[in-house]
Amino acid sequence: MRFRQIHLDFHTSEAIPGIGKEFSRPQFQSMLRTGHIDSVTVFSKCHHGWAYHPSEANEIHPHLSFDLLGEMITAAHEIGVLTPVYLSAGLDEKLARRHPEWLIRDAEDRTRWVQDFMTPGYHEFCLGTPYLDILLAQIHEVVSRYDADGIFLDIVGVRKCRCQYCVAALRAAGQDPRDEAAVIALGEQTYLNYARRVRETIDAVKPGLPVYHNNGHQKRGRRDLVLVNSHLELESLPTGGWGYDHFPLSARYAQTLGMDFLGMTGKFHTSWGEFGGYKHPNALRYEAALSLAHGAKCSIGDQLHPSGLMDEATYALIGTAYAEVKAKEQWCSGVQSVADIAVLSLEAAREACPGGQLLKGERNLADAGAVRILSEGHYLYDIVDTLTNFTAYKVLILPDEVPVWPELAAAIAAFTAGGGKVLATGRSGLNAAGDAFALDLGISWLGANPYRPSYFRPHFTPGALLPASYVMYGEGQLVELDGGFSLGHLENPYFNRDIFTFSSHQHTPGARKDNGPGMIESEGGIYIAWDVFSEYADGGHLILKDIVLHALSRLLPQPLLSTNLPARGITTLQYQQAEQRYVNHLLYAAPVLKGRIEAIEDIVPLRDISVSLRLPSPSPVRRVYLAPSKIELPFTAGPEGELTYTVPYLENHQMAVIELA
């Protein structure tokens, strides 16, 4: 998989004439060169269901008169550009109107994407119907006839379906289609069967050809679903609803799996399907650099005009970002994440918890909140699942609602016995029944606090603030000390807000009484009695971050990395084993909310960014320099293995390379 990919959407209605009439091999090649592109995903079949080449397994678009797919592949290969081929797997609108009985149905018999046929939009197919055989024939045709460099299958994943095929399958197995767990299990079985048959179909012609099944989200904790892919393409368009916090969360989990992966953004002002929308070049520069910093390669989404003419403004825009990526690639390949903190994903824990199926659909902001706080605190972290070896890290975070069952408790006990520390918040650490702590956190659980909001009075100075009674909007837990010591206490309000008891505009003030410990340190770690990560993701209250950062300063007094970057800055550390060097990525941009769109326009340069590293490698440092400029940086190696240097200038993205002797 290469670094500079384009995902060239081409979903084109049969109501539009002249498909591909302005396509030109030289113009196509010229735009690929302008964009510094080394791989372009081209279309065999779109969401409307049409093929863009002569086909027996499908039908060519009624207004296309030549083999557009073949021409694109030939043109790209002539200039050394790879061409993975796209097929819409879950959507085929022409076929949906011919075979509505093959579509996914919910319990009210509504279709998926749009709920009926009187609303403009697509309808998703169930892969447990005869449609699967049609799709496999289309895949086989493409792999057999074209020199595809991979297959990209879109709009697929585990689905809950109650079409008559799924209802019949459930009843034949002695199950009830009204049983939600049975429906979910059938959805997983259907998806894994589809993925297996796709792999068999491809391997019968081109064994090992890369294939990716795009679901828009890779579920943390379900490696069996992830590993049906040869690589990962993490769809994350910041302006399309994902936001700028989404990709780091996905990437910090993906890199732990050891798979090649890329970050997929878009050139659009908003999202897919937008013609005439362009983001600022600085936004695309930042998004591409963000992928590199997290160990990923890059993909940028575009949508080709029905005429087949590539848009010059788009490829000039993309070229601004990809020219920089091209210059940086040699320091970004074959990298491994370096981190001293592991965040056990709440999503992954719910997937793994016995009997946790009922929790899977509940709202989860905890993972995103943990990413935001750790990124703003400039800690090096990975997002992990329960199959991870926790002993590779120094601190394990259990964010807000992570249940602990016996197997997980044993793994955490082994981690703490080896000197690791736990940071647990909210209901995390309770057993699967939720009625007692399954971990030794120096406390006993008394129950959920009936007062909401409540207040936290720290026994320390929280960051830039002074000790005070800080409002905590989320649910709190009542605990008592059992071997631990308090770092701050809970204060309840006079009363909850009610029709007969309310005070002021929002909520009742605190009664200024110590109602028990709210933050506790013990030999095994620190416990905080509120859902601080979810609340920070939702509201961004400064005290929540300061509480967590104070806890980490006690649990990890000598972190792998520290820096004076502003809070919005991003820093990561990657290791290139083959080259025996570390690469410290530093990024800075400040997205601004413009209406409903989170946008980047201006990038303010920073100067004199200091970095301190405690590298895990015992080898001495030979040199430190900036890449790709190769400007040498003075550095100091301390007696305890601490390495310090200063990056004199940071505009968007800078890499400091640490070469070992």
Side-chain angles (χ1 to χ4, degrees), residues 6-10 20 22-43 66-85 149 302-305 307-312 314-316:
I6 290 296
H7 187 93
L8 189 59
D9 258 10
F10 198 53
E22 294 185 62
F23 176 81
S24 157
R25 188 182 296 185
Q27 199 264 349
F28 185 71
Q29 293 172 333
S30 174
M31 291 301 98
L32 294 179
R33 290 191 179 104
T34 297
H36 297 281
I37 291 148
D38 58 16
S39 178
V40 56
T41 300
V42 291
F43 266 45
F66 67 100
D67 186 349
L68 179 58
L69 174 64
E71 282 292 307
M72 286 182 165
I73 290 174
T74 299
H77 283 178
E78 283 180 351
I79 59 172
V81 175
L82 298 182
T83 55
V85 175
D149 295 303
D302 179 27
Q303 178 140 351
L304 181 65
H305 189 273
S307 69
L309 187 70
M310 298 278 273
D311 179 53
E312 184 176 359
T314 291
Y315 288 89

Short mmCIF file of all heavy atoms in Angstrom, two decimals, residues 6-10 20 22-43 66-85 149 302-305 307-312 314-316:
data_model
loop_
_atom_site.label_atom_id
_atom_site.label_comp_id
_atom_site.label_asym_id
_atom_site.label_seq_id
_atom_site.Cartn_x
_atom_site.Cartn_y
_atom_site.Cartn_z
N ILE A 6 -5.80 8.42 -3.84
CA ILE A 6 -7.05 9.14 -4.10
C ILE A 6 -8.18 8.12 -4.13
O ILE A 6 -8.06 7.07 -4.78
CB ILE A 6 -7.00 9.90 -5.44
CG1 ILE A 6 -6.04 11.08 -5.35
CG2 ILE A 6 -8.39 10.40 -5.84
CD1 ILE A 6 -6.45 12.14 -4.35
N HIS A 7 -9.25 8.43 -3.44
CA HIS A 7 -10.46 7.61 -3.54
C HIS A 7 -11.40 8.39 -4.46
O HIS A 7 -12.02 9.37 -4.05
CB HIS A 7 -11.09 7.40 -2.16
CG HIS A 7 -12.23 6.43 -2.20
ND1 HIS A 7 -12.06 5.09 -1.96
CD2 HIS A 7 -13.55 6.61 -2.46
CE1 HIS A 7 -13.23 4.48 -2.06
NE2 HIS A 7 -14.15 5.38 -2.37
N LEU A 8 -11.49 7.95 -5.71
CA LEU A 8 -12.17 8.71 -6.75
C LEU A 8 -13.62 8.22 -6.90
O LEU A 8 -13.93 7.37 -7.73
CB LEU A 8 -11.41 8.57 -8.08
CG LEU A 8 -11.87 9.46 -9.23
CD1 LEU A 8 -11.77 10.94 -8.84
CD2 LEU A 8 -11.04 9.19 -10.48
N ASP A 9 -14.49 8.78 -6.07
CA ASP A 9 -15.92 8.42 -6.14
C ASP A 9 -16.49 8.73 -7.53
O ASP A 9 -16.08 9.71 -8.19
CB ASP A 9 -16.70 9.21 -5.09
CG ASP A 9 -17.02 8.36 -3.87
OD1 ASP A 9 -16.48 7.26 -3.75
OD2 ASP A 9 -17.81 8.83 -3.02
N PHE A 10 -17.47 7.90 -7.96
CA PHE A 10 -18.11 8.12 -9.26
C PHE A 10 -19.52 7.52 -9.24
O PHE A 10 -19.85 6.64 -10.01
CB PHE A 10 -17.26 7.51 -10.38
CG PHE A 10 -17.60 8.03 -11.75
CD1 PHE A 10 -17.62 9.39 -12.02
CD2 PHE A 10 -17.88 7.16 -12.80
CE1 PHE A 10 -17.92 9.87 -13.29
CE2 PHE A 10 -18.18 7.63 -14.08
CZ PHE A 10 -18.20 8.99 -14.32
N GLY A 20 -18.55 10.17 -19.09
CA GLY A 20 -17.18 9.95 -19.53
C GLY A 20 -16.82 10.58 -20.86
O GLY A 20 -15.72 10.34 -21.37
N GLU A 22 -15.80 13.43 -21.71
CA GLU A 22 -14.63 14.31 -21.71
C GLU A 22 -13.41 13.64 -21.10
O GLU A 22 -12.39 14.30 -20.86
CB GLU A 22 -14.94 15.60 -20.95
CG GLU A 22 -16.00 16.48 -21.63
CD GLU A 22 -16.19 17.80 -20.90
OE1 GLU A 22 -15.22 18.58 -20.83
OE2 GLU A 22 -17.31 18.03 -20.40
N PHE A 23 -13.52 12.33 -20.83
CA PHE A 23 -12.34 11.65 -20.28
C PHE A 23 -11.22 11.64 -21.31
O PHE A 23 -11.43 11.35 -22.49
CB PHE A 23 -12.67 10.21 -19.88
CG PHE A 23 -11.45 9.45 -19.40
CD1 PHE A 23 -10.99 9.61 -18.12
CD2 PHE A 23 -10.75 8.62 -20.27
CE1 PHE A 23 -9.86 8.93 -17.67
CE2 PHE A 23 -9.61 7.93 -19.85
CZ PHE A 23 -9.17 8.09 -18.54
N SER A 24 -10.04 11.93 -20.83
CA SER A 24 -8.85 11.95 -21.69
C SER A 24 -7.71 11.31 -20.91
O SER A 24 -7.43 11.71 -19.77
CB SER A 24 -8.50 13.39 -22.07
OG SER A 24 -7.15 13.52 -22.43
N ARG A 25 -7.07 10.35 -21.52
CA ARG A 25 -5.95 9.69 -20.84
C ARG A 25 -4.86 10.70 -20.47
O ARG A 25 -4.39 10.70 -19.32
CB ARG A 25 -5.40 8.56 -21.71
CG ARG A 25 -4.37 7.72 -21.00
CD ARG A 25 -3.79 6.61 -21.90
NE ARG A 25 -4.82 5.65 -22.30
CZ ARG A 25 -4.55 4.55 -23.00
NH1 ARG A 25 -3.29 4.30 -23.39
NH2 ARG A 25 -5.52 3.71 -23.34
N PRO A 26 -4.43 11.58 -21.38
CA PRO A 26 -3.40 12.57 -20.99
C PRO A 26 -3.87 13.50 -19.87
O PRO A 26 -3.08 13.83 -18.97
CB PRO A 26 -3.14 13.34 -22.29
CG PRO A 26 -3.53 12.40 -23.38
CD PRO A 26 -4.70 11.64 -22.84
N GLN A 27 -5.14 13.94 -19.93
CA GLN A 27 -5.63 14.84 -18.88
C GLN A 27 -5.71 14.13 -17.54
O GLN A 27 -5.37 14.70 -16.49
CB GLN A 27 -7.00 15.40 -19.27
CG GLN A 27 -7.40 16.66 -18.51
CD GLN A 27 -8.29 16.38 -17.29
OE1 GLN A 27 -8.78 15.28 -17.10
NE2 GLN A 27 -8.49 17.41 -16.46
N PHE A 28 -6.14 12.89 -17.54
CA PHE A 28 -6.21 12.07 -16.33
C PHE A 28 -4.81 11.92 -15.72
O PHE A 28 -4.61 12.14 -14.52
CB PHE A 28 -6.80 10.71 -16.68
CG PHE A 28 -7.06 9.78 -15.53
CD1 PHE A 28 -8.08 10.03 -14.62
CD2 PHE A 28 -6.28 8.64 -15.37
CE1 PHE A 28 -8.32 9.16 -13.57
CE2 PHE A 28 -6.52 7.77 -14.32
CZ PHE A 28 -7.54 8.03 -13.42
N GLN A 29 -3.84 11.61 -16.57
CA GLN A 29 -2.47 11.45 -16.10
C GLN A 29 -1.90 12.77 -15.59
O GLN A 29 -1.18 12.80 -14.57
CB GLN A 29 -1.60 10.90 -17.22
CG GLN A 29 -1.95 9.47 -17.63
CD GLN A 29 -1.21 9.01 -18.86
OE1 GLN A 29 -0.82 9.84 -19.71
NE2 GLN A 29 -1.00 7.70 -18.99
N SER A 30 -2.22 13.84 -16.28
CA SER A 30 -1.72 15.15 -15.87
C SER A 30 -2.21 15.52 -14.47
O SER A 30 -1.44 16.04 -13.64
CB SER A 30 -2.16 16.22 -16.87
OG SER A 30 -1.80 17.51 -16.43
N MET A 31 -3.47 15.24 -14.19
CA MET A 31 -4.01 15.57 -12.88
C MET A 31 -3.42 14.67 -11.79
O MET A 31 -3.17 15.13 -10.67
CB MET A 31 -5.53 15.46 -12.89
CG MET A 31 -6.23 16.52 -13.74
SD MET A 31 -5.90 18.24 -13.20
CE MET A 31 -4.60 18.71 -14.34
N LEU A 32 -3.18 13.41 -12.11
CA LEU A 32 -2.54 12.53 -11.13
C LEU A 32 -1.14 13.04 -10.80
O LEU A 32 -0.71 13.01 -9.63
CB LEU A 32 -2.48 11.10 -11.66
CG LEU A 32 -3.82 10.37 -11.85
CD1 LEU A 32 -3.59 8.97 -12.41
CD2 LEU A 32 -4.63 10.31 -10.55
N ARG A 33 -0.43 13.50 -11.82
CA ARG A 33 0.90 14.06 -11.58
C ARG A 33 0.82 15.35 -10.76
O ARG A 33 1.62 15.57 -9.85
CB ARG A 33 1.61 14.32 -12.90
CG ARG A 33 2.03 13.05 -13.65
CD ARG A 33 2.95 13.42 -14.81
NE ARG A 33 3.42 12.26 -15.56
CZ ARG A 33 2.96 11.90 -16.74
NH1 ARG A 33 1.98 12.61 -17.32
NH2 ARG A 33 3.44 10.84 -17.36
N THR A 34 -0.14 16.21 -11.10
CA THR A 34 -0.31 17.47 -10.37
C THR A 34 -0.57 17.20 -8.89
O THR A 34 -0.08 17.92 -8.01
CB THR A 34 -1.47 18.28 -10.96
OG1 THR A 34 -1.15 18.62 -12.32
CG2 THR A 34 -1.75 19.54 -10.17
N GLY A 35 -1.35 16.17 -8.61
CA GLY A 35 -1.68 15.83 -7.23
C GLY A 35 -0.64 15.00 -6.52
O GLY A 35 -0.83 14.65 -5.35
N HIS A 36 0.46 14.65 -7.19
CA HIS A 36 1.51 13.80 -6.62
C HIS A 36 0.92 12.48 -6.12
O HIS A 36 1.25 11.99 -5.03
CB HIS A 36 2.24 14.52 -5.48
CG HIS A 36 2.98 15.74 -5.92
ND1 HIS A 36 4.20 15.71 -6.54
CD2 HIS A 36 2.62 17.06 -5.85
CE1 HIS A 36 4.60 16.94 -6.81
NE2 HIS A 36 3.65 17.78 -6.41
N ILE A 37 0.07 11.88 -6.92
CA ILE A 37 -0.69 10.70 -6.52
C ILE A 37 0.02 9.44 -6.98
O ILE A 37 0.51 9.37 -8.11
CB ILE A 37 -2.12 10.79 -7.11
CG1 ILE A 37 -2.89 11.92 -6.42
CG2 ILE A 37 -2.88 9.48 -6.99
CD1 ILE A 37 -3.88 12.59 -7.29
N ASP A 38 0.06 8.43 -6.10
CA ASP A 38 0.69 7.16 -6.49
C ASP A 38 -0.28 5.99 -6.45
O ASP A 38 0.10 4.86 -6.76
CB ASP A 38 1.93 6.87 -5.63
CG ASP A 38 1.66 6.82 -4.14
OD1 ASP A 38 0.48 6.70 -3.75
OD2 ASP A 38 2.62 6.89 -3.36
N SER A 39 -1.55 6.24 -6.12
CA SER A 39 -2.57 5.19 -6.14
C SER A 39 -3.93 5.86 -6.24
O SER A 39 -4.19 6.83 -5.52
CB SER A 39 -2.48 4.33 -4.87
OG SER A 39 -3.49 3.33 -4.86
N VAL A 40 -4.79 5.35 -7.12
CA VAL A 40 -6.12 5.92 -7.27
C VAL A 40 -7.14 4.79 -7.33
O VAL A 40 -7.01 3.86 -8.13
CB VAL A 40 -6.21 6.83 -8.52
CG1 VAL A 40 -5.81 6.12 -9.79
CG2 VAL A 40 -7.62 7.42 -8.65
N THR A 41 -8.14 4.85 -6.47
CA THR A 41 -9.21 3.85 -6.46
C THR A 41 -10.23 4.24 -7.52
O THR A 41 -10.83 5.32 -7.44
CB THR A 41 -9.86 3.77 -5.07
OG1 THR A 41 -8.86 3.41 -4.11
CG2 THR A 41 -10.98 2.74 -5.05
N VAL A 42 -10.40 3.37 -8.52
CA VAL A 42 -11.28 3.65 -9.65
C VAL A 42 -12.48 2.72 -9.62
O VAL A 42 -12.45 1.66 -9.00
CB VAL A 42 -10.51 3.53 -10.98
CG1 VAL A 42 -9.49 4.66 -11.11
CG2 VAL A 42 -9.81 2.18 -11.09
N PHE A 43 -13.53 3.11 -10.33
CA PHE A 43 -14.83 2.48 -10.14
C PHE A 43 -15.16 1.41 -11.18
O PHE A 43 -15.07 1.65 -12.39
CB PHE A 43 -15.93 3.54 -10.18
CG PHE A 43 -16.31 4.06 -8.82
CD1 PHE A 43 -15.34 4.38 -7.89
CD2 PHE A 43 -17.64 4.21 -8.47
CE1 PHE A 43 -15.69 4.86 -6.63
CE2 PHE A 43 -17.99 4.69 -7.22
CZ PHE A 43 -17.01 5.01 -6.29
N PHE A 66 -17.95 3.45 -23.66
CA PHE A 66 -16.64 2.82 -23.78
C PHE A 66 -16.23 2.28 -22.41
O PHE A 66 -16.92 2.47 -21.40
CB PHE A 66 -15.59 3.82 -24.31
CG PHE A 66 -15.28 4.95 -23.36
CD1 PHE A 66 -14.14 4.93 -22.57
CD2 PHE A 66 -16.14 6.05 -23.26
CE1 PHE A 66 -13.86 5.97 -21.70
CE2 PHE A 66 -15.86 7.09 -22.40
CZ PHE A 66 -14.71 7.06 -21.61
N ASP A 67 -15.11 1.60 -22.37
CA ASP A 67 -14.61 0.97 -21.15
C ASP A 67 -13.84 2.00 -20.32
O ASP A 67 -12.61 2.11 -20.43
CB ASP A 67 -13.72 -0.22 -21.51
CG ASP A 67 -13.28 -1.03 -20.29
OD1 ASP A 67 -13.49 -0.57 -19.16
OD2 ASP A 67 -12.73 -2.13 -20.49
N LEU A 68 -14.55 2.75 -19.48
CA LEU A 68 -13.92 3.80 -18.68
C LEU A 68 -12.97 3.20 -17.65
O LEU A 68 -11.87 3.72 -17.44
CB LEU A 68 -15.00 4.65 -18.00
CG LEU A 68 -14.50 5.79 -17.12
CD1 LEU A 68 -13.64 6.77 -17.90
CD2 LEU A 68 -15.69 6.52 -16.47
N LEU A 69 -13.38 2.14 -17.00
CA LEU A 69 -12.51 1.50 -16.01
C LEU A 69 -11.20 1.06 -16.65
O LEU A 69 -10.11 1.33 -16.12
CB LEU A 69 -13.22 0.30 -15.37
CG LEU A 69 -12.37 -0.55 -14.43
CD1 LEU A 69 -11.93 0.26 -13.22
CD2 LEU A 69 -13.11 -1.81 -14.00
N GLY A 70 -11.29 0.39 -17.78
CA GLY A 70 -10.08 -0.08 -18.45
C GLY A 70 -9.16 1.06 -18.86
O GLY A 70 -7.94 0.97 -18.73
N GLU A 71 -9.75 2.15 -19.36
CA GLU A 71 -8.95 3.31 -19.76
C GLU A 71 -8.24 3.92 -18.56
O GLU A 71 -7.07 4.32 -18.64
CB GLU A 71 -9.85 4.35 -20.43
CG GLU A 71 -10.20 4.03 -21.86
CD GLU A 71 -8.97 4.11 -22.76
OE1 GLU A 71 -8.29 5.15 -22.75
OE2 GLU A 71 -8.69 3.12 -23.46
N MET A 72 -8.94 4.01 -17.43
CA MET A 72 -8.32 4.60 -16.23
C MET A 72 -7.17 3.73 -15.73
O MET A 72 -6.11 4.25 -15.35
CB MET A 72 -9.37 4.77 -15.13
CG MET A 72 -10.35 5.91 -15.37
SD MET A 72 -11.50 6.05 -13.98
CE MET A 72 -12.20 7.68 -14.30
N ILE A 73 -7.37 2.44 -15.70
CA ILE A 73 -6.32 1.53 -15.23
C ILE A 73 -5.09 1.64 -16.14
O ILE A 73 -3.95 1.77 -15.66
CB ILE A 73 -6.84 0.09 -15.17
CG1 ILE A 73 -7.86 -0.06 -14.03
CG2 ILE A 73 -5.69 -0.90 -14.97
CD1 ILE A 73 -8.53 -1.42 -13.98
N THR A 74 -5.31 1.62 -17.45
CA THR A 74 -4.19 1.72 -18.39
C THR A 74 -3.46 3.05 -18.22
O THR A 74 -2.22 3.09 -18.18
CB THR A 74 -4.69 1.57 -19.83
OG1 THR A 74 -5.30 0.29 -19.98
CG2 THR A 74 -3.55 1.72 -20.82
N ALA A 75 -4.22 4.14 -18.13
CA ALA A 75 -3.61 5.47 -17.99
C ALA A 75 -2.78 5.57 -16.72
O ALA A 75 -1.66 6.10 -16.72
CB ALA A 75 -4.70 6.54 -18.01
N ALA A 76 -3.33 5.08 -15.61
CA ALA A 76 -2.62 5.16 -14.33
C ALA A 76 -1.38 4.29 -14.34
O ALA A 76 -0.29 4.71 -13.91
CB ALA A 76 -3.55 4.76 -13.19
N HIS A 77 -1.49 3.07 -14.84
CA HIS A 77 -0.34 2.17 -14.84
C HIS A 77 0.78 2.68 -15.74
O HIS A 77 1.96 2.41 -15.47
CB HIS A 77 -0.79 0.78 -15.28
CG HIS A 77 -1.51 0.02 -14.20
ND1 HIS A 77 -2.03 -1.24 -14.38
CD2 HIS A 77 -1.80 0.35 -12.92
CE1 HIS A 77 -2.59 -1.66 -13.26
NE2 HIS A 77 -2.48 -0.70 -12.36
N GLU A 78 0.45 3.40 -16.79
CA GLU A 78 1.48 3.96 -17.68
C GLU A 78 2.41 4.91 -16.94
O GLU A 78 3.57 5.07 -17.32
CB GLU A 78 0.83 4.68 -18.86
CG GLU A 78 0.29 3.76 -19.94
CD GLU A 78 -0.34 4.52 -21.09
OE1 GLU A 78 -0.53 5.76 -20.97
OE2 GLU A 78 -0.66 3.88 -22.11
N ILE A 79 1.90 5.55 -15.89
CA ILE A 79 2.74 6.49 -15.14
C ILE A 79 3.07 5.97 -13.74
O ILE A 79 3.44 6.73 -12.84
CB ILE A 79 2.09 7.89 -15.06
CG1 ILE A 79 0.72 7.84 -14.38
CG2 ILE A 79 1.97 8.50 -16.46
CD1 ILE A 79 0.12 9.22 -14.11
N GLY A 80 2.90 4.66 -13.54
CA GLY A 80 3.32 4.03 -12.29
C GLY A 80 2.38 4.22 -11.12
O GLY A 80 2.80 4.08 -9.96
N VAL A 81 1.12 4.52 -11.40
CA VAL A 81 0.12 4.73 -10.34
C VAL A 81 -0.72 3.47 -10.19
O VAL A 81 -1.21 2.91 -11.18
CB VAL A 81 -0.78 5.94 -10.66
CG1 VAL A 81 -1.90 6.08 -9.63
CG2 VAL A 81 0.06 7.22 -10.72
N LEU A 82 -0.89 3.00 -8.97
CA LEU A 82 -1.69 1.81 -8.71
C LEU A 82 -3.18 2.10 -8.84
O LEU A 82 -3.61 3.25 -8.67
CB LEU A 82 -1.39 1.26 -7.31
CG LEU A 82 0.04 0.79 -7.02
CD1 LEU A 82 0.13 0.23 -5.61
CD2 LEU A 82 0.49 -0.25 -8.04
N THR A 83 -3.97 1.03 -9.10
CA THR A 83 -5.41 1.21 -9.29
C THR A 83 -6.21 0.13 -8.57
O THR A 83 -6.65 -0.85 -9.18
CB THR A 83 -5.77 1.18 -10.79
OG1 THR A 83 -5.26 -0.05 -11.36
CG2 THR A 83 -5.21 2.37 -11.53
N PRO A 84 -6.43 0.27 -7.26
CA PRO A 84 -7.45 -0.57 -6.63
C PRO A 84 -8.81 -0.27 -7.27
O PRO A 84 -9.05 0.85 -7.72
CB PRO A 84 -7.42 -0.13 -5.16
CG PRO A 84 -6.15 0.64 -4.99
CD PRO A 84 -5.82 1.22 -6.33
N VAL A 85 -9.67 -1.27 -7.33
CA VAL A 85 -10.97 -1.11 -7.99
C VAL A 85 -12.09 -1.16 -6.96
O VAL A 85 -12.12 -2.04 -6.10
CB VAL A 85 -11.16 -2.18 -9.08
CG1 VAL A 85 -12.57 -2.09 -9.68
CG2 VAL A 85 -10.11 -2.00 -10.18
N ASP A 149 -5.22 -3.55 -8.72
CA ASP A 149 -4.20 -3.65 -7.67
C ASP A 149 -4.81 -3.88 -6.30
O ASP A 149 -4.10 -3.85 -5.29
CB ASP A 149 -3.35 -2.38 -7.67
CG ASP A 149 -2.56 -2.23 -8.96
OD1 ASP A 149 -1.79 -3.16 -9.29
OD2 ASP A 149 -2.73 -1.21 -9.65
N ASP A 302 -12.26 12.27 -3.51
CA ASP A 302 -12.73 13.21 -4.53
C ASP A 302 -13.93 12.56 -5.21
O ASP A 302 -14.17 11.36 -5.05
CB ASP A 302 -11.61 13.48 -5.55
CG ASP A 302 -12.03 14.45 -6.66
OD1 ASP A 302 -12.92 15.28 -6.41
OD2 ASP A 302 -11.48 14.33 -7.77
N GLN A 303 -14.71 13.34 -5.94
CA GLN A 303 -15.77 12.76 -6.77
C GLN A 303 -15.61 13.28 -8.19
O GLN A 303 -15.64 14.48 -8.44
CB GLN A 303 -17.16 13.08 -6.24
CG GLN A 303 -18.25 12.51 -7.16
CD GLN A 303 -19.43 11.94 -6.43
OE1 GLN A 303 -19.43 11.78 -5.22
NE2 GLN A 303 -20.47 11.60 -7.17
N LEU A 304 -15.43 12.33 -9.11
CA LEU A 304 -15.24 12.67 -10.52
C LEU A 304 -16.54 13.18 -11.12
O LEU A 304 -17.62 12.63 -10.88
CB LEU A 304 -14.76 11.42 -11.27
CG LEU A 304 -14.48 11.55 -12.76
CD1 LEU A 304 -13.31 12.49 -13.00
CD2 LEU A 304 -14.19 10.17 -13.35
N HIS A 305 -16.45 14.23 -11.91
CA HIS A 305 -17.62 14.74 -12.61
C HIS A 305 -18.13 13.69 -13.60
O HIS A 305 -17.33 12.92 -14.17
CB HIS A 305 -17.25 16.02 -13.37
CG HIS A 305 -18.43 16.74 -13.93
ND1 HIS A 305 -18.96 16.45 -15.18
CD2 HIS A 305 -19.21 17.74 -13.42
CE1 HIS A 305 -20.00 17.23 -15.41
NE2 HIS A 305 -20.18 18.03 -14.36
N SER A 307 -18.80 13.79 -16.56
CA SER A 307 -18.15 13.90 -17.87
C SER A 307 -16.83 13.15 -17.94
O SER A 307 -16.32 12.90 -19.04
CB SER A 307 -17.91 15.38 -18.20
OG SER A 307 -16.91 15.92 -17.35
N GLY A 308 -16.26 12.82 -16.77
CA GLY A 308 -14.97 12.14 -16.76
C GLY A 308 -13.79 13.08 -16.74
O GLY A 308 -12.64 12.63 -16.75
N LEU A 309 -14.03 14.40 -16.70
CA LEU A 309 -12.95 15.38 -16.69
C LEU A 309 -12.48 15.60 -15.25
O LEU A 309 -13.28 15.95 -14.38
CB LEU A 309 -13.42 16.70 -17.30
CG LEU A 309 -12.35 17.77 -17.50
CD1 LEU A 309 -11.39 17.37 -18.62
CD2 LEU A 309 -13.00 19.12 -17.81
N MET A 310 -11.21 15.39 -15.02
CA MET A 310 -10.63 15.60 -13.69
C MET A 310 -10.53 17.11 -13.42
O MET A 310 -10.15 17.89 -14.31
CB MET A 310 -9.25 14.96 -13.61
CG MET A 310 -9.25 13.45 -13.80
SD MET A 310 -9.67 12.56 -12.29
CE MET A 310 -8.04 12.42 -11.54
N ASP A 311 -10.85 17.52 -12.20
CA ASP A 311 -10.94 18.93 -11.83
C ASP A 311 -9.56 19.47 -11.44
O ASP A 311 -8.95 19.00 -10.47
CB ASP A 311 -11.92 19.09 -10.67
CG ASP A 311 -12.06 20.52 -10.23
OD1 ASP A 311 -12.33 21.39 -11.08
OD2 ASP A 311 -11.87 20.79 -9.02
N GLU A 312 -9.09 20.46 -12.20
CA GLU A 312 -7.74 20.99 -11.97
C GLU A 312 -7.60 21.62 -10.59
O GLU A 312 -6.57 21.46 -9.91
CB GLU A 312 -7.40 22.02 -13.05
CG GLU A 312 -5.98 22.55 -12.95
CD GLU A 312 -5.62 23.49 -14.08
OE1 GLU A 312 -6.48 23.73 -14.97
OE2 GLU A 312 -4.48 24.00 -14.09
N THR A 314 -9.08 20.83 -7.86
CA THR A 314 -9.00 19.76 -6.86
C THR A 314 -7.60 19.19 -6.78
O THR A 314 -7.04 19.01 -5.68
CB THR A 314 -10.00 18.64 -7.19
OG1 THR A 314 -11.33 19.13 -7.00
CG2 THR A 314 -9.77 17.42 -6.33
N TYR A 315 -6.97 18.94 -7.91
CA TYR A 315 -5.68 18.26 -7.88
C TYR A 315 -4.54 19.22 -7.56
O TYR A 315 -3.50 18.79 -7.03
CB TYR A 315 -5.50 17.44 -9.16
CG TYR A 315 -6.43 16.26 -9.04
CD1 TYR A 315 -7.75 16.35 -9.50
CD2 TYR A 315 -6.06 15.13 -8.34
CE1 TYR A 315 -8.65 15.32 -9.30
CE2 TYR A 315 -6.95 14.09 -8.13
CZ TYR A 315 -8.25 14.20 -8.61
OH TYR A 315 -9.14 13.18 -8.38
N ALA A 316 -4.74 20.50 -7.80
CA ALA A 316 -3.78 21.49 -7.30
C ALA A 316 -3.86 21.54 -5.77
O ALA A 316 -2.83 21.62 -5.08
CB ALA A 316 -4.07 22.86 -7.90
#
